[in-house]
Coordinates of all heavy atoms in Angstrom, one line a residue:
M237 N 87.2 79.0 148.0 CA 87.6 79.0 146.6 C 87.7 80.5 146.2 O 86.7 81.2 146.0 CB 86.5 78.3 145.8 CG 86.9 78.2 144.3 SD 85.7 77.3 143.3 CE 85.6 75.8 144.1
T238 N 88.9 81.0 146.1 CA 89.1 82.4 145.8 C 89.6 82.6 144.3 O 89.5 83.6 143.8 CB 90.1 83.0 146.7 OG1 91.3 82.3 146.7 CG2 89.6 83.0 148.2
E239 N 90.2 81.6 143.7 CA 90.7 81.7 142.4 C 89.6 81.6 141.4 O 88.5 81.1 141.7 CB 91.8 80.7 142.1 CG 91.3 79.3 141.8 CD 91.0 78.5 143.1 OE1 91.3 79.0 144.2 OE2 90.6 77.3 143.0
S240 N 89.8 82.2 140.2 CA 88.8 82.1 139.1 C 88.9 80.8 138.5 O 89.9 80.2 138.2 CB 89.1 83.2 138.1 OG 89.0 84.5 138.6
V241 N 87.7 80.2 138.2 CA 87.6 78.9 137.6 C 86.5 79.0 136.5 O 85.6 79.8 136.6 CB 87.3 77.8 138.6 CG1 88.4 77.6 139.6 CG2 85.9 78.1 139.3
G242 N 86.7 78.1 135.6 CA 85.7 78.1 134.5 C 84.5 77.2 134.8 O 84.6 76.4 135.7
I243 N 83.5 77.3 134.0 CA 82.3 76.4 134.1 C 82.3 75.6 132.8 O 82.4 76.1 131.7 CB 81.0 77.2 134.2 CG1 81.0 78.1 135.4 CG2 79.8 76.3 134.1 CD1 79.8 79.0 135.5
H244 N 82.2 74.3 133.0 CA 82.2 73.3 131.9 C 80.9 72.5 132.0 O 80.6 71.8 133.0 CB 83.4 72.4 131.9 CG 84.7 73.2 132.0 ND1 85.3 73.8 131.0 CD2 85.5 73.4 133.1 CE1 86.4 74.4 131.4 NE2 86.5 74.2 132.7
V245 N 80.1 72.6 130.9 CA 78.9 71.8 130.8 C 79.2 70.7 129.8 O 79.6 71.0 128.7 CB 77.7 72.6 130.3 CG1 76.5 71.7 130.1 CG2 77.4 73.7 131.3
E246 N 79.1 69.4 130.2 CA 79.5 68.3 129.4 C 78.4 67.3 129.1 O 77.9 66.7 130.0 CB 80.7 67.6 130.0 CG 81.9 68.4 130.3 CD 83.0 67.7 131.0 OE1 82.8 66.6 131.5 OE2 84.1 68.2 131.0
K247 N 78.0 67.3 127.8 CA 77.0 66.3 127.4 C 75.7 66.3 128.3 O 75.2 65.2 128.6 CB 77.6 65.0 127.2 CG 78.7 65.0 126.2 CD 79.4 63.6 126.0 CE 80.6 63.6 125.1 NZ 81.0 64.8 124.5
V248 N 75.2 67.4 128.7 CA 74.1 67.5 129.6 C 72.8 67.3 128.9 O 72.5 67.8 127.8 CB 74.1 68.8 130.3 CG1 72.8 69.1 131.0 CG2 75.2 68.9 131.3
H249 N 72.0 66.4 129.5 CA 70.6 66.2 129.1 C 69.7 66.5 130.3 O 70.0 66.2 131.5 CB 70.4 64.7 128.8 CG 71.1 64.2 127.5 ND1 70.4 64.0 126.4 CD2 72.4 64.0 127.3 CE1 71.3 63.6 125.5 NE2 72.5 63.6 126.0
F250 N 68.6 67.2 130.0 CA 67.7 67.5 131.1 C 66.3 67.8 130.5 O 66.2 68.3 129.4 CB 68.1 68.8 131.9 CG 67.2 69.0 133.1 CD1 67.5 68.4 134.3 CD2 66.1 69.9 133.0 CE1 66.6 68.6 135.4 CE2 65.3 70.1 134.1 CZ 65.5 69.4 135.3
G251 N 65.3 67.5 131.3 CA 63.9 67.7 130.8 C 63.0 67.7 132.0 O 63.3 67.4 133.1
Y252 N 61.8 68.2 131.7 CA 60.7 68.2 132.7 C 59.7 67.1 132.3 O 59.8 66.6 131.2 CB 60.1 69.6 132.7 CG 61.0 70.6 133.1 CD1 61.6 71.5 132.2 CD2 61.4 70.8 134.5 CE1 62.5 72.4 132.5 CE2 62.3 71.8 134.8 CZ 62.9 72.6 133.8 OH 63.8 73.6 134.2
P253 N 58.8 66.6 133.2 CA 58.0 65.5 132.9 C 57.3 65.7 131.5 O 56.6 66.7 131.3 CB 56.9 65.5 134.0 CG 57.7 66.1 135.2 CD 58.6 67.1 134.6
G254 N 57.5 64.8 130.6 CA 56.9 64.8 129.3 C 57.5 65.8 128.3 O 57.0 66.0 127.2
R255 N 58.6 66.5 128.7 CA 59.2 67.6 127.9 C 60.7 67.6 128.0 O 61.2 68.3 128.9 CB 58.6 68.9 128.2 CG 59.1 70.0 127.3 CD 58.3 71.3 127.5 NE 58.6 72.2 126.5 CZ 59.6 73.1 126.5 NH1 60.4 73.1 127.5 NH2 59.8 73.9 125.5
P256 N 61.4 66.9 127.1 CA 62.9 67.1 127.1 C 63.2 68.5 126.7 O 62.6 69.1 125.8 CB 63.3 66.1 126.0 CG 62.2 65.7 125.2 CD 60.9 66.1 126.0
V257 N 64.3 69.1 127.3 CA 64.6 70.5 127.1 C 66.1 70.5 126.5 O 66.3 71.2 125.5 CB 64.5 71.3 128.4 CG1 65.0 72.7 128.1 CG2 63.1 71.3 128.9
L258 N 67.0 69.9 127.2 CA 68.4 70.0 126.8 C 68.8 68.6 126.4 O 68.6 67.6 127.1 CB 69.3 70.5 127.9 CG 69.0 71.9 128.4 CD1 69.8 72.2 129.7 CD2 69.1 72.9 127.4
R259 N 69.5 68.5 125.3 CA 70.0 67.2 124.8 C 71.4 67.3 124.4 O 71.7 67.8 123.3 CB 69.1 66.7 123.6 CG 67.7 66.5 123.9 CD 66.9 66.1 122.6 NE 65.5 66.2 122.8 CZ 64.7 67.2 122.3 NH1 65.3 68.2 121.7 NH2 63.5 67.2 122.6
G260 N 72.3 66.7 125.2 CA 73.7 66.7 124.8 C 74.4 68.0 124.7 O 75.3 68.2 123.9
V261 N 74.1 68.9 125.6 CA 74.6 70.3 125.6 C 76.1 70.3 126.1 O 76.3 69.7 127.2 CB 73.8 71.2 126.4 CG1 74.4 72.6 126.5 CG2 72.4 71.4 125.7
D262 N 76.9 70.9 125.4 CA 78.3 71.2 125.8 C 78.5 72.7 125.8 O 78.1 73.4 124.9 CB 79.3 70.6 124.8 CG 79.3 69.1 124.9 OD1 79.4 68.5 126.0 OD2 79.3 68.5 123.8
L263 N 79.2 73.2 126.8 CA 79.4 74.7 126.9 C 80.6 74.9 127.9 O 80.7 74.2 128.9 CB 78.2 75.4 127.5 CG 78.4 76.9 127.8 CD1 78.6 77.7 126.5 CD2 77.3 77.5 128.6
T264 N 81.5 75.7 127.5 CA 82.7 76.1 128.3 C 82.7 77.6 128.4 O 82.7 78.3 127.4 CB 84.0 75.6 127.8 OG1 84.0 74.2 127.8 CG2 85.2 76.0 128.7
V265 N 82.7 78.1 129.7 CA 82.9 79.5 129.9 C 84.2 79.7 130.8 O 84.2 79.2 131.9 CB 81.7 80.1 130.7 CG1 81.9 81.6 130.9 CG2 80.4 79.9 129.9
R266 N 85.2 80.3 130.2 CA 86.5 80.4 130.8 C 86.4 81.6 131.8 O 85.7 82.6 131.6 CB 87.5 80.6 129.8 CG 87.8 79.4 129.0 CD 88.7 79.6 127.8 NE 88.8 78.4 126.9 CZ 87.9 78.1 126.0 NH1 86.9 78.9 125.8 NH2 88.1 77.0 125.3
P267 N 87.3 81.6 132.8 CA 87.4 82.8 133.7 C 87.6 84.1 132.9 O 88.4 84.2 132.0 CB 88.7 82.4 134.5 CG 88.8 81.0 134.5 CD 88.3 80.6 133.1
G268 N 86.8 85.1 133.3 CA 86.9 86.4 132.7 C 86.0 86.6 131.5 O 85.9 87.7 131.0
E269 N 85.5 85.5 130.9 CA 84.6 85.6 129.7 C 83.2 86.1 130.1 O 82.7 85.8 131.2 CB 84.5 84.3 129.0 CG 85.7 83.9 128.3 CD 85.4 82.6 127.5 OE1 84.6 81.8 127.8 OE2 86.1 82.4 126.4
L270 N 82.7 86.9 129.2 CA 81.3 87.3 129.3 C 80.5 86.5 128.3 O 80.8 86.5 127.1 CB 81.1 88.8 129.1 CG 79.7 89.4 129.1 CD1 79.1 89.2 130.5 CD2 79.8 90.8 128.7
T271 N 79.5 85.7 128.7 CA 78.8 84.9 127.8 C 77.3 85.2 127.9 O 76.7 85.4 129.0 CB 79.0 83.4 128.2 OG1 80.4 83.1 128.2 CG2 78.3 82.5 127.3
A272 N 76.6 85.2 126.8 CA 75.2 85.5 126.7 C 74.5 84.3 126.1 O 75.0 83.7 125.1 CB 74.9 86.7 125.8
L273 N 73.4 83.9 126.7 CA 72.6 82.8 126.2 C 71.4 83.4 125.5 O 70.6 84.1 126.2 CB 72.1 81.8 127.3 CG 73.3 81.1 128.0 CD1 72.7 80.3 129.2 CD2 74.1 80.3 127.1
I274 N 71.2 83.2 124.3 CA 70.1 83.9 123.5 C 69.3 82.8 122.8 O 69.9 81.9 122.2 CB 70.7 84.8 122.5 CG1 71.5 85.9 123.2 CG2 69.6 85.5 121.7 CD1 72.3 86.8 122.2
G275 N 68.0 82.9 122.9 CA 67.1 81.9 122.2 C 65.7 82.2 122.5 O 65.3 83.1 123.3
L276 N 64.9 81.4 121.9 CA 63.4 81.5 122.0 C 63.0 81.2 123.4 O 63.7 80.4 124.1 CB 62.7 80.7 121.0 CG 63.0 81.0 119.5 CD1 62.4 79.9 118.6 CD2 62.4 82.3 119.2
N277 N 61.8 81.6 123.8 CA 61.2 81.2 125.0 C 61.1 79.7 125.1 O 60.6 79.1 124.1 CB 59.8 81.8 125.2 CG 59.8 83.3 125.4 OD1 60.9 83.9 125.7 ND2 58.7 84.0 125.3
G278 N 61.4 79.1 126.2 CA 61.3 77.7 126.4 C 62.3 76.8 125.8 O 62.2 75.6 125.8
C279 N 63.4 77.4 125.3 CA 64.4 76.6 124.6 C 65.5 76.0 125.6 O 66.3 75.3 125.2 CB 65.1 77.4 123.5 SG 66.2 78.7 124.0
G280 N 65.4 76.5 126.9 CA 66.3 75.9 127.9 C 67.4 76.8 128.4 O 68.3 76.4 129.2
K281 N 67.3 78.1 128.1 CA 68.3 79.0 128.7 C 68.4 79.1 130.2 O 69.4 78.9 130.8 CB 68.1 80.5 128.1 CG 68.1 80.6 126.6 CD 67.7 82.0 126.2 CE 66.4 82.5 126.6 NZ 65.2 81.8 126.0
S282 N 67.2 79.3 130.8 CA 67.1 79.4 132.3 C 67.4 78.0 132.9 O 68.0 77.9 134.0 CB 65.7 79.9 132.7 OG 65.5 81.2 132.3
T283 N 67.0 76.9 132.2 CA 67.3 75.6 132.7 C 68.8 75.4 132.8 O 69.3 74.8 133.7 CB 66.6 74.5 131.9 OG1 65.1 74.8 132.0 CG2 66.9 73.1 132.3
L284 N 69.5 75.8 131.7 CA 70.9 75.6 131.7 C 71.6 76.4 132.8 O 72.5 75.9 133.5 CB 71.5 76.1 130.3 CG 73.0 75.9 130.1 CD1 73.4 74.5 130.3 CD2 73.4 76.4 128.7
L285 N 71.1 77.6 133.1 CA 71.7 78.4 134.2 C 71.4 77.8 135.5 O 72.2 77.8 136.4 CB 71.1 79.8 134.1 CG 71.6 80.7 133.0 CD1 70.8 82.0 132.9 CD2 73.0 80.9 133.0
R286 N 70.2 77.2 135.7 CA 69.9 76.5 136.9 C 70.8 75.3 137.1 O 71.2 75.0 138.3 CB 68.4 76.1 137.0 CG 67.5 77.3 137.2 CD 66.0 76.8 137.2 NE 65.1 78.0 137.4 CZ 64.5 78.5 136.4 NH1 64.5 78.0 135.2 NH2 63.7 79.6 136.6
L287 N 71.0 74.6 136.0 CA 72.0 73.4 136.1 C 73.4 73.9 136.5 O 74.0 73.3 137.3 CB 72.0 72.7 134.8 CG 70.8 71.9 134.5 CD1 70.7 71.6 133.0 CD2 70.8 70.6 135.2
A288 N 73.8 75.0 135.9 CA 75.2 75.6 136.2 C 75.3 76.0 137.6 O 76.3 75.9 138.2 CB 75.5 76.7 135.2
A289 N 74.2 76.5 138.2 CA 74.2 77.0 139.6 C 74.0 75.8 140.6 O 74.1 76.0 141.8 CB 73.0 78.0 139.8
G290 N 73.8 74.6 140.1 CA 73.6 73.5 141.0 C 72.2 73.4 141.5 O 71.9 72.6 142.5
L291 N 71.2 74.2 141.0 CA 69.9 74.1 141.5 C 69.1 72.9 140.9 O 68.1 72.5 141.5 CB 69.1 75.4 141.2 CG 69.8 76.7 141.7 CD1 69.0 77.9 141.2 CD2 69.7 76.7 143.2
L292 N 69.5 72.5 139.8 CA 69.0 71.3 139.2 C 70.1 70.3 138.9 O 71.3 70.7 138.8 CB 68.3 71.6 137.8 CG 67.1 72.5 137.9 CD1 66.7 72.9 136.4 CD2 65.9 71.9 138.6
R293 N 69.8 69.0 138.8 CA 70.9 68.0 138.5 C 70.5 67.5 137.1 O 69.4 67.1 136.8 CB 70.9 66.9 139.5 CG 71.4 67.4 140.8 CD 71.5 66.2 141.8 NE 71.9 66.7 143.1 CZ 72.9 66.2 143.7 NH1 73.6 65.2 143.3 NH2 73.3 66.7 144.9
P294 N 71.5 67.4 136.2 CA 71.3 66.8 134.9 C 70.9 65.4 134.9 O 71.3 64.6 135.8 CB 72.6 67.0 134.2 CG 73.6 67.2 135.2 CD 72.9 67.7 136.4
H295 N 70.0 65.0 134.0 CA 69.6 63.5 133.9 C 70.8 62.7 133.4 O 71.0 61.6 133.8 CB 68.5 63.4 133.0 CG 67.2 64.1 133.5 ND1 66.2 64.3 132.6 CD2 66.9 64.5 134.7 CE1 65.2 64.9 133.3 NE2 65.6 65.1 134.6
E296 N 71.6 63.4 132.5 CA 72.9 62.8 132.0 C 73.9 63.9 131.9 O 73.5 65.0 131.8 CB 72.7 62.1 130.6 CG 71.8 60.9 130.6 CD 71.6 60.4 129.2 OE1 72.6 60.3 128.4 OE2 70.5 60.0 128.8
G297 N 75.2 63.5 131.9 CA 76.2 64.5 131.7 C 76.6 65.1 133.1 O 76.1 64.6 134.1
R298 N 77.4 66.2 133.0 CA 77.8 66.8 134.2 C 78.1 68.3 134.0 O 78.4 68.7 132.9 CB 79.0 66.1 134.9 CG 80.2 66.1 134.0 CD 81.3 65.2 134.6 NE 82.5 65.3 133.8 CZ 83.7 65.0 134.3 NH1 83.9 64.6 135.5 NH2 84.8 65.1 133.5
V299 N 78.1 69.0 135.1 CA 78.5 70.4 135.1 C 79.6 70.6 136.1 O 79.5 70.2 137.3 CB 77.3 71.3 135.6 CG1 77.7 72.8 135.6 CG2 76.1 71.1 134.6
L300 N 80.7 71.2 135.6 CA 81.9 71.3 136.4 C 82.2 72.8 136.7 O 82.1 73.6 135.8 CB 83.1 70.7 135.8 CG 83.1 69.2 135.4 CD1 84.3 68.8 134.6 CD2 82.9 68.4 136.7
L301 N 82.6 73.1 137.9 CA 83.1 74.4 138.3 C 84.6 74.2 138.6 O 84.9 73.6 139.6 CB 82.4 75.0 139.5 CG 82.7 76.4 140.0 CD1 82.5 77.4 138.8 CD2 81.9 76.7 141.2
G302 N 85.4 74.6 137.6 CA 86.8 74.1 137.7 C 86.8 72.6 137.4 O 86.3 72.1 136.5
A303 N 87.4 71.9 138.4 CA 87.5 70.5 138.3 C 86.4 69.8 139.1 O 86.3 68.6 139.2 CB 88.8 70.0 138.7
D304 N 85.6 70.6 139.8 CA 84.6 70.1 140.8 C 83.2 70.0 140.2 O 82.7 70.9 139.5 CB 84.5 71.0 142.0 CG 85.8 71.1 142.8 OD1 86.4 70.0 143.0 OD2 86.2 72.2 143.1
D305 N 82.5 68.8 140.4 CA 81.2 68.6 139.9 C 80.3 69.5 140.8 O 80.3 69.4 142.0 CB 80.8 67.1 140.1 CG 79.5 66.8 139.4 OD1 78.6 67.6 139.4 OD2 79.4 65.7 138.9
V306 N 79.5 70.4 140.1 CA 78.6 71.3 140.8 C 77.6 70.6 141.7 O 77.3 71.1 142.8 CB 77.9 72.2 139.8 CG1 76.8 73.1 140.4 CG2 78.9 73.1 139.1
A307 N 77.2 69.4 141.3 CA 76.2 68.7 142.1 C 76.7 68.3 143.5 O 76.0 68.0 144.4 CB 75.7 67.5 141.3
R308 N 78.1 68.2 143.6 CA 78.7 67.8 144.9 C 79.1 69.0 145.7 O 79.7 68.7 146.8 CB 79.8 66.9 144.6 CG 79.4 65.6 143.9 CD 80.7 64.8 143.5 NE 80.3 63.8 142.6 CZ 80.2 62.5 142.9 NH1 80.4 62.1 144.1 NH2 79.8 61.6 142.0
L309 N 79.0 70.2 145.3 CA 79.5 71.4 146.0 C 78.4 71.9 146.9 O 77.2 71.9 146.5 CB 79.9 72.5 145.0 CG 81.2 72.2 144.2 CD1 81.4 73.3 143.2 CD2 82.4 71.9 145.0
S310 N 78.8 72.5 148.0 CA 77.9 73.2 148.9 C 77.6 74.5 148.3 O 78.2 74.9 147.3 CB 78.4 73.4 150.3 OG 79.6 74.2 150.3
G311 N 76.7 75.3 148.8 CA 76.3 76.6 148.2 C 77.4 77.6 148.1 O 77.5 78.3 147.1
A312 N 78.2 77.7 149.1 CA 79.3 78.8 149.1 C 80.2 78.7 147.9 O 80.4 79.7 147.2 CB 80.0 78.8 150.4
P313 N 80.8 77.6 147.6 CA 81.8 77.5 146.5 C 81.1 77.8 145.1 O 81.6 78.3 144.2 CB 82.3 76.1 146.5 CG 82.1 75.6 147.9 CD 80.9 76.3 148.4
R314 N 79.8 77.4 145.0 CA 79.1 77.6 143.8 C 78.8 79.1 143.5 O 78.8 79.5 142.4 CB 77.7 76.9 143.8 CG 77.8 75.4 143.7 CD 76.5 74.8 143.4 NE 75.4 75.4 144.1 CZ 74.6 74.7 145.0 NH1 74.8 73.4 145.2 NH2 73.6 75.3 145.6
R315 N 78.7 79.9 144.6 CA 78.3 81.3 144.4 C 79.5 82.1 144.0 O 79.3 83.2 143.4 CB 77.7 81.8 145.7 CG 76.3 81.3 145.9 CD 75.7 82.1 147.1 NE 76.4 81.9 148.3 CZ 76.1 81.0 149.2 NH1 75.2 80.2 149.1 NH2 76.8 81.0 150.3
G316 N 80.7 81.7 144.3 CA 81.9 82.6 144.1 C 82.3 82.7 142.6 O 82.6 81.7 142.0
G317 N 82.2 83.9 142.1 CA 82.8 84.2 140.8 C 81.9 84.2 139.6 O 82.4 84.5 138.5
W318 N 80.6 84.1 139.7 CA 79.8 84.2 138.5 C 78.5 84.8 138.9 O 78.0 84.7 140.0 CB 79.7 82.9 137.7 CG 78.8 81.9 138.3 CD1 79.2 81.1 139.3 CD2 77.6 81.5 137.9 NE1 78.1 80.2 139.6 CE2 77.1 80.4 138.7 CE3 76.7 81.9 136.8 CZ2 75.9 79.8 138.6 CZ3 75.5 81.2 136.7 CH2 75.1 80.2 137.5
R319 N 77.9 85.5 137.9 CA 76.6 86.1 138.1 C 75.6 85.8 137.0 O 76.1 85.5 135.8 CB 76.7 87.6 138.2 CG 77.7 88.1 139.3 CD 77.1 87.8 140.7 NE 78.0 88.2 141.7 CZ 78.8 87.4 142.4 NH1 78.8 86.2 142.1 NH2 79.5 87.9 143.4
C320 N 74.4 85.9 137.2 CA 73.3 85.6 136.2 C 72.4 86.8 136.1 O 72.0 87.4 137.1 CB 72.5 84.4 136.6 SG 71.1 84.1 135.6
C321 N 72.2 87.3 134.9 CA 71.3 88.4 134.7 C 70.3 88.0 133.6 O 70.7 87.6 132.5 CB 72.0 89.6 134.2 SG 71.0 91.0 133.9
T322 N 69.0 88.0 133.9 CA 68.0 87.6 132.9 C 67.4 88.9 132.3 O 67.4 90.0 133.0 CB 66.9 86.8 133.5 OG1 66.3 87.5 134.6 CG2 67.5 85.4 134.0
S323 N 67.0 88.8 131.1 CA 66.4 90.0 130.4 C 65.0 90.3 130.9 O 64.3 89.5 131.5 CB 66.4 89.8 128.9 OG 65.5 88.7 128.6
P324 N 64.6 91.6 130.7 CA 63.2 91.9 131.1 C 62.2 91.2 130.2 O 62.6 90.7 129.1 CB 63.1 93.4 130.8 CG 64.2 93.7 129.8 CD 65.3 92.7 130.1
P325 N 60.9 91.1 130.7 CA 60.0 90.3 129.9 C 59.5 91.0 128.6 O 58.4 90.6 128.1 CB 58.8 90.1 130.9 CG 58.9 91.3 131.8 CD 60.4 91.6 131.9
R326 N 60.2 92.0 128.1 CA 59.8 92.6 126.9 C 61.0 92.8 126.0 O 62.1 92.9 126.6 CB 59.1 93.9 127.1 CG 59.9 94.9 128.0 CD 59.1 96.2 128.2 NE 59.4 97.0 129.3 CZ 60.6 97.4 129.7 NH1 61.7 97.0 129.1 NH2 60.8 98.2 130.6
P327 N 60.9 92.9 124.7 CA 62.1 93.1 123.9 C 62.8 94.4 124.2 O 62.2 95.4 124.6 CB 61.5 93.1 122.5 CG 60.1 92.6 122.6 CD 59.7 92.8 124.0
Y328 N 64.1 94.3 124.0 CA 65.0 95.5 124.2 C 64.8 96.4 123.0 O 64.8 96.0 121.9 CB 66.4 95.1 124.4 CG 67.4 96.2 124.4 CD1 67.5 97.0 125.6 CD2 68.1 96.6 123.3 CE1 68.3 98.1 125.6 CE2 69.0 97.7 123.4 CZ 69.1 98.4 124.5 OH 69.9 99.5 124.6
R329 N 64.6 97.7 123.3 CA 64.6 98.7 122.2 C 65.6 99.8 122.4 O 65.7 100.4 123.5 CB 63.2 99.3 122.2 CG 62.1 98.3 121.8 CD 60.9 99.0 121.4 NE 59.9 98.0 120.9 CZ 58.8 97.6 121.5 NH1 58.5 98.2 122.6 NH2 58.1 96.7 121.0
A330 N 66.4 100.0 121.4 CA 67.5 101.0 121.6 C 67.0 102.4 121.3 O 66.0 102.6 120.7 CB 68.6 100.7 120.5

C-alpha cells in the first residue's frame, strides 16, 4: 500500500472491564491532515490511537484505513503512512 489513505473511525465503542471509555466515536483523518487528540487523562485518547493502529478491536463500530477494516489488515499495511506522538507526562510550557 503506497498511496495515501485516510483513517475513518465509525461509531466505535470500546471499554475495559467495568469501565466504558469510547461511546459512538466518529473521526475522519484525511491524507495529509495533521490531527491532535486533546483531552483529560483517561478520556480515551490513547485507546482511540490503539484502535486506529489495530492493536485493539472495537466492541462496536469499525476503523477503516482507506476502504479496509484495520482489524483485518496485517501489520505492514497498517504501518504505512501515519505516525503517533504522545505528549510528555508534564504540561508543556512555552
Side-chain angles (χ1 to χ4, degrees):
M237 183 179 301
T238 57
E239 74 277 359
S240 294
V241 295
I243 297 173
H244 308 281
V245 176
E246 299 177 349
K247 299 181 184 358
V248 165
H249 292 252
F250 186 85
Y252 299 100
R255 185 170 188 275
V257 178
L258 301 173
R259 297 179 194 102
V261 172
D262 291 310
L263 173 70
T264 297
V265 180
R266 291 172 187 82
E269 284 186 332
L270 177 63
T271 302
L273 300 177
I274 301 170
L276 298 173
N277 289 346
C279 72
K281 301 176 303 289
S282 295
T283 298
L284 182 58
L285 292 173
R286 287 183 183 101
L287 286 159
L291 301 174
L292 297 173
R293 291 182 183 234
H295 296 163
E296 293 180 41
R298 63 186 183 160
V299 179
L300 301 174
L301 183 59
D304 300 314
D305 191 324
V306 170
R308 298 173 191 257
L309 295 175
S310 66
R314 286 195 318 242
R315 287 191 298 267
W318 72 286
R319 302 291 180 260
C320 171
C321 178
T322 59
S323 64
R326 55 182 162 42
Y328 174 76
R329 294 197 175 111

